């Protein structure tokens, strides 16, 4: 829901329908949501494992390394 909420905030700010004070509050909320999304993405990336199968059919797992 974080991403969807942030999309709504951006749309609202872009269409100019919000008053100045509301725009500032929405922008602040958007920054908070962005930080939460980044934290969740970092956490998910750390959990991902790379699974590979060698020529003999042996399955191995190792931590995903971002290149």
């Amino acid at each position: 829901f974080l991403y969807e909420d942030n999309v709504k905030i951006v749309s609202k700010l872009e269409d100019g329908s919000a008053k100045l004070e509301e725009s500032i509050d929405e922008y602040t909320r958007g920054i908070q949501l962005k930080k939460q999304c980044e934290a969740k993405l970092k956490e998910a990336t750390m959990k991902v494992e790379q699974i590979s199968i060698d020529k003999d059919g042996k399955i191995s797992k190792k931590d995903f390394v971002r290149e």
Side-chain angles (χ1 to χ4, degrees):
F1 297 107
L2 297 173
Y3 177 78
E4 291 87 1
D5 289 348
N6 219 8
V7 169
K8 289 176 188 175
I9 289 170
V10 169
S11 295
K12 191 173 189 178
L13 292 174
E14 286 180 342
D15 73 16
S17 64
K19 295 183 179 183
L20 178 60
E21 190 63 36
E22 184 181 358
S23 293
I24 292 169
D25 291 343
E26 292 288 348
Y27 180 80
T28 302
R29 176 76 178 132
I31 295 297
Q32 292 169 344
L33 290 172
K34 178 183 175 280
K35 288 179 181 179
Q36 290 175 357
C37 287
E38 289 172 340
K40 290 218 176 263
L41 180 59
K42 183 177 181 179
E43 179 182 330
T45 301
M46 291 170 55
K47 291 181 181 178
V48 172
E49 291 181 332
Q50 201 170 24
I51 300 171
S52 61
I53 302 173
D54 66 15
K55 62 182 177 181
D56 298 323
K58 182 179 176 186
I59 298 173
S60 63
K61 295 189 285 182
K62 62 180 181 179
D63 290 338
F64 174 76
V65 178
R66 196 173 189 185
E67 297 176 6

